Amino acid sequence: QARLALLVLLEALCARRTPDSMATAVAPAWRPMESLASGAHPTSTFPNAHLLPTGAAAACCVVEPPSLLAELRSAVWAEDWERRYEEGRTRICLRPEWSASEEHCALLQVLVRACGARRVLEIGSFCGVGALALAEALPEDGQVLALELDEFSVALGRRFHARSPAGRAIRTVVGKAEDALRDLARRARLGREPPFDLVVVDADRARMAQYFGLVSGTPGLLSANALVCVDTMLCKGEAPIGYAPFGFPHRWEAASGEEHIAALREMLRSSPEFYTHELAGLLIVRRAP
């Protein structure tokens, strides 16, 4: 409960730091200084080496190459997912916005550290942006087990995972999440599967309650203080529906899944078995003592 309260406080603090206020804190407006040489602007005269940033300010000026997370996210957005579906190369019509955003990845990493996770289960991985973010936050002996239906998206993500030192902590099982979860449950009952400290449920919305039930109801599958996080983004993982908008070529859309998310949210909030808090698009759930 204390850790969840800390996350709420972090969200409140971040909400107060608007882009304008951050810019003001980092780069205050220039004001004339009597000690500088005259001219239209101090940097237009020489010598001006005294204007070069030093220390922490200099570090902020260093342009770093894009991270592998950013590269993978860009590759997801560059892919033509509708065409891949029409070609039969993907199981469903995937959307680039399903990949974990920078803010979402940061929250996942905070959760990993907050609960001291060593083993993470991700149900629904898409191209593995979230899985890579999770792996980067784990200790050296940490593991991420990702379950994903679509082989094409997994292959895309693995090209980037292979280039990351954290990628070796990720193991992806391709196939139906329900089948993989039932196998994990069987192994956990037999004592052959170590418990998970963090579970991220981000698969098809119609079966989210079923996935949550399998995870939370299987003895030995979760550690004592495990967190289960349910992604509440709409229109994700549902079967595609064809339509022709305003006479344009055939396109694809998906059901929102809103009713399934609402039902799961209500069930968790009304249950005395769980503590539930909603933060930045995640239902964060922990079993009550």
Side-chain angles (χ1 to χ4, degrees):
Q1 284 295 88
R3 284 170 177 161
L4 292 183
L6 176 60
L7 291 175
V8 176
L9 177 60
L10 287 173
E11 183 187 43
L13 290 174
C14 291
R16 292 176 185 173
R17 296 194 62 179
T18 63
D20 289 341
S21 65
M22 292 175 67
T24 302
V26 175
W30 176 82
R31 293 178 298 174
M33 298 177 63
E34 296 178 357
S35 60
L36 298 181
S38 62
H41 190 278
T43 57
S44 65
T45 59
F46 293 91
N48 58 15
H50 57 283
L51 296 175
L52 294 175
T54 59
C60 293
C61 296
V62 176
V63 178
E64 296 184 356
S67 67
L68 280 173
L69 271 175
E71 288 186 30
L72 174 52
R73 195 177 292 112
S74 296
V76 173
W77 279 93
E79 188 60 67
D80 188 341
W81 294 104
E82 287 195 358
R83 174 167 293 184
R84 297 295 171 262
Y85 177 67
E86 291 166 356
E87 293 170 346
R89 300 180 67 182
T90 62
R91 299 284 297 271
I92 62 175
C93 189
L94 303 163
R95 297 185 178 184
E97 58 267 27
W98 293 358
S99 64
S101 66
E102 184 176 354
E103 294 77 15
H104 189 78
C105 287
L107 176 57
L108 291 177
Q109 292 178 335
V110 168
L111 290 169
V112 168
R113 297 183 177 105
C115 67
R118 290 186 177 276
R119 298 197 77 227
V120 179
L121 174 62
E122 185 184 39
I123 306 171
S125 188
F126 191 23
C127 293
V129 176
L132 184 55
L134 290 163
E136 288 181 350
L138 288 173
E140 289 187 5
D141 60 344
Q143 296 177 332
V144 176
L145 176 60
L147 311 181
E148 173 53 45
L149 175 68
D150 190 75
E151 189 171 359
F152 180 88
S153 60
V154 170
L156 189 155
R158 278 175 173 163
R159 298 202 303 267
F160 294 85
H161 293 177
R163 294 165 50 200
S164 170
R168 62 177 176 268
I170 303 171
R171 181 168 72 89
T172 304
V173 175
V174 180
K176 293 182 178 180
E178 182 181 357
D179 295 341
L181 284 174
R182 292 195 182 280
D183 184 59
L184 284 173
R186 179 185 60 81
R187 291 174 55 82
R189 293 189 189 98
L190 295 174
R192 297 177 183 174
E193 187 69 40
F196 293 96
D197 308 303
L198 176 65
V199 178
V200 180
V201 184
D202 193 13
D204 54 305
R205 279 29 187 167
R207 294 180 178 84
M208 293 187 86
Q210 181 181 356
Y211 300 149
F212 181 87
L214 276 170
V215 168
S216 63
T218 300
L221 194 57
L222 298 179
S223 60
N225 295 312
L227 291 179
V228 179
C229 301
V230 180
D231 192 296
T232 60
M233 179 180 177
L234 301 180
C235 303
K236 197 169 184 181
E238 299 300 306
I241 304 169
Y243 76 108
F246 308 109
F248 284 93
H250 195 71
R251 301 294 299 274
W252 301 96
E253 65 177 4
S256 70
E258 183 174 8
E259 67 277 13
H260 302 296
I261 294 172
L264 178 59
R265 181 188 288 115
E266 179 59 28
M267 183 272 288
L268 291 172
R269 287 179 174 174
S270 61
S271 173
E273 293 185 52
F274 304 104
Y275 291 136
T276 305
H277 179 75
E278 193 156 0
L279 176 66
L282 283 181
L283 278 172
I284 303 172
V285 186
R286 173 173 280 164
R287 187 176 294 278

